[in-house]
Amino acid sequence: MARLGVGIGWRPEIADAVERLPGLDWVEVVAENVCPGHLPEALERLRERGTRIVPHGVSLGLGGAERPDPAKLAALGERAVALGAPLVTEHIAFVRTASPALEAGHLLPVPRTRDALDVLCENVRIAQDALPVPLALENIAALFSWPGEELTEGQFLTELVERTGVRLLIDVANLHTNRVNRGEDPAAVLDAIPLEALAYVHVAGGVERDGVWHDTHAHPVPPVVLDLLAQLRARVDPPGVLLERDDDFPAEAELAGELAAIREVVTTGTAAAPAAAPRLRENKAGAVTDSVRARVGVGQAALLSALVAGTPVPEGFDRARIRTQARALAAKRADVVARLAPELPGILGGPAPYRTAFLAYAKGRPMTAGYRRDALDFAEHLLVQDLPADPAARRRLTAWWRERAGARPPRRVVRWARALTGRAA
């Protein structure tokens, strides 16, 4: 297992600060945010000075009912090679459904059932065969639980490791999130899982609102999460620990202070002797049948449709929690689209009018092809309604849309845009 040390999630907003952080051993990058042939200069400088870089994927959806997308696997492997990475990481989650075609734009929990585990294990083996370096999977944070689960978190993760040999990325902040939101005992999870399969650890901040813990990655790491890191450290010496921060970036000194606090826990803890590598057991279930994938897919589609398309909440789910998750997904869509297309809030008169318009659009129009397509669909939605009301803003939005819509944009908007251009002339 690669010894990584203490690191931080690399983000463009803090690239300069990351280069100056004392004692930094490694960084993790969101795989989908880097291009192998055009790495940011700051990342290139880190590579040149020997800082290890690990790509962290967010879009494979290995817990989904469909088999992994070969193109996405190839892209993740390409980034691992370009970065000279010792491993790649992803999540135990689903992010989309094929029928209907819906995108969550977020990591959603898989049901801890035998069917879902069979599907996940086969998808992981497909990914392992395609990737040029070892794969590690992260436990995710969740606002809700699935009804009718057959396994605990510890049992689910243990069997996943035994059947595939995949490594684990344990996020202790997610353990705390699931303690608050789902009543799960972090110590029981740590006691049950094969920590000898540990690749590294995530540490992050969040905030509690109305009894729900939101894993924001935009707040300082709270003492309760550092305590969970200490509990893990008492059980095993982790090969690596990484601080995640994705938004509301603090001053450089605050980042350095958080890393120092993490390093203190890691270096002063007392861990048990390293355990032997996890033993693989034969998977007697064989290939997953199409009927098993179909059953998993039906449940995931019903849930995702309730979250992003306003369909009824499936039986057995906590309706209040599903509504909370749906609002969070819509808000995240608005935020991400605004970051990818910062011109839109300006065209629409500022952040508040933009957000109001986007949330009204998102209520009945689920995302089907990622955030960049979502930005174009939002603009199209406004234009076909003769919005924004201000003619100058509408012309600006038309020009913005036409520059980005590609060679064959939707026909109805082409007609509309030509008519508007004619009226403007």
Side-chain angles (χ1 to χ4, degrees):
M1 198 75 71
R3 297 296 305 181
L4 295 170
V6 175
I8 192 169
W10 187 92
R11 304 293 182 265
E13 297 88 341
I14 55 172
D16 292 339
V18 168
E19 286 190 74
R20 294 189 294 265
L21 288 171
L24 187 70
D25 298 311
W26 66 293
V27 298
E28 179 192 80
V29 297
V30 177
E32 290 80 357
N33 290 350
V34 295
C35 179
H38 305 279
L39 294 178
E41 291 183 3
L43 269 183
E44 289 283 17
R45 288 193 295 270
L46 287 173
R47 282 194 65 198
E48 289 169 1
R49 76 185 199 193
T51 303
R52 279 183 162 173
I53 304 172
V54 173
H56 185 54
V58 297
S59 65
L60 270 183
L62 291 174
E66 302 297 315
R67 290 175 176 82
D69 182 343
K72 290 184 182 295
L73 284 171
L76 184 57
E78 190 178 16
R79 282 149 179 80
V81 171
L83 295 168
L87 76 164
V88 296
T89 57
E90 249 286 354
H91 299 83
I92 301 169
F94 81 99
V95 297
R96 66 182 62 84
T97 57
S99 181
L102 298 173
E103 289 275 348
H106 189 72
L107 302 165
L108 295 174
V110 300
R112 290 178 297 216
T113 62
R114 286 288 169 192
D115 279 354
L117 180 60
D118 288 344
V119 169
L120 174 63
C121 286
E122 184 168 88
N123 288 349
V124 167
R125 287 192 292 271
I126 292 170
Q128 289 171 315
D129 288 343
L131 292 169
V133 294
L135 172 67
L137 295 181
E138 178 181 351
N139 59 307
I140 71 163
L143 283 175
F144 59 87
S145 297
W146 282 78
E149 293 193 313
E150 301 164 345
L151 301 164
T152 66
E153 178 80 343
Q155 291 168 335
F156 194 86
L157 295 179
T158 298
E159 193 161 334
L160 172 65
V161 170
E162 289 179 345
R163 289 171 58 175
T164 66
V166 75
R167 300 175 185 188
L168 295 177
L169 192 180
I170 296 299
D171 189 316
V172 291
N174 291 348
L175 292 179
H176 174 65
T177 300
N178 295 339
R179 169 167 53 194
V180 177
N181 295 348
R182 305 203 288 185
E184 296 175 357
D185 180 5
V189 176
L190 293 177
D191 285 339
I193 61 177
L195 289 174
E196 60 272 19
L198 185 64
Y200 61 89
V201 180
H202 272 174
V203 178
V207 63
E208 186 171 351
R209 300 189 190 99
D210 301 323
V212 174
W213 186 269
H214 298 272
D215 180 46
T216 63
H217 295 190
H219 293 80
V221 177
V224 67
V225 171
L226 287 177
D227 179 64
L228 284 176
L229 177 61
Q231 291 185 43
L232 182 148
R233 178 66 179 86
R235 291 167 169 81
V236 68
D237 182 10
V241 181
L242 182 118
L243 171 65
E244 287 189 294
R245 188 76 179 235
D246 295 331
D247 206 353
D248 289 340
F249 299 100
E252 184 176 330
E254 187 174 335
L255 288 175
E258 290 203 298
L259 285 172
I262 291 169
R263 192 175 289 109
E264 177 71 14
V265 172
V266 172
T267 56
T268 61
T270 302
R279 181 177 62 86
L280 290 178
R281 65 181 178 85
E282 182 182 357
N283 178 23
K284 298 180 180 179
V288 178
T289 64
D290 289 342
S291 62
V292 170
R293 287 188 178 273
R295 286 198 299 270
V296 172
V298 166
Q300 291 180 348
L303 172 62
L304 186 51
S305 182
L307 288 170
V308 302
T311 58
V313 177
E315 190 68 30
F317 283 95
D318 184 322
R319 284 174 166 73
R321 287 294 174 89
I322 297 300
R323 287 193 294 269
T324 298
Q325 181 73 83
R327 288 193 297 269
L329 291 180
K332 180 178 180 180
R333 278 177 72 185
D335 291 343
V336 174
V337 166
R339 285 200 296 271
L340 290 175
E343 304 88 353
L344 291 178
I347 293 171
L348 298 178
Y354 158 78
R355 195 173 187 84
T356 299
F358 189 91
L359 292 178
Y361 149 80
K363 187 175 295 184
R365 293 165 182 81
M367 183 165 58
T368 59
Y371 285 112
R372 295 187 188 280
R373 182 71 247 179
D374 205 23
L376 288 171
D377 289 346
F378 171 53
E380 177 186 334
H381 165 73
L382 294 176
L383 292 174
V384 297
Q385 297 184 83
D386 280 347
L387 295 173
D390 175 59
R394 200 159 60 248
R395 285 193 294 272
R396 289 174 60 200
L397 184 61
T398 302
W400 181 92
W401 178 85
R402 294 185 74 174
E403 286 175 3
R404 294 162 178 81
R408 300 179 63 185
R411 192 173 301 169
R412 60 176 180 163
V413 182
V414 170
R415 290 199 301 266
W416 186 93
R418 286 173 177 167
L420 176 64
T421 305
R423 289 202 301 271

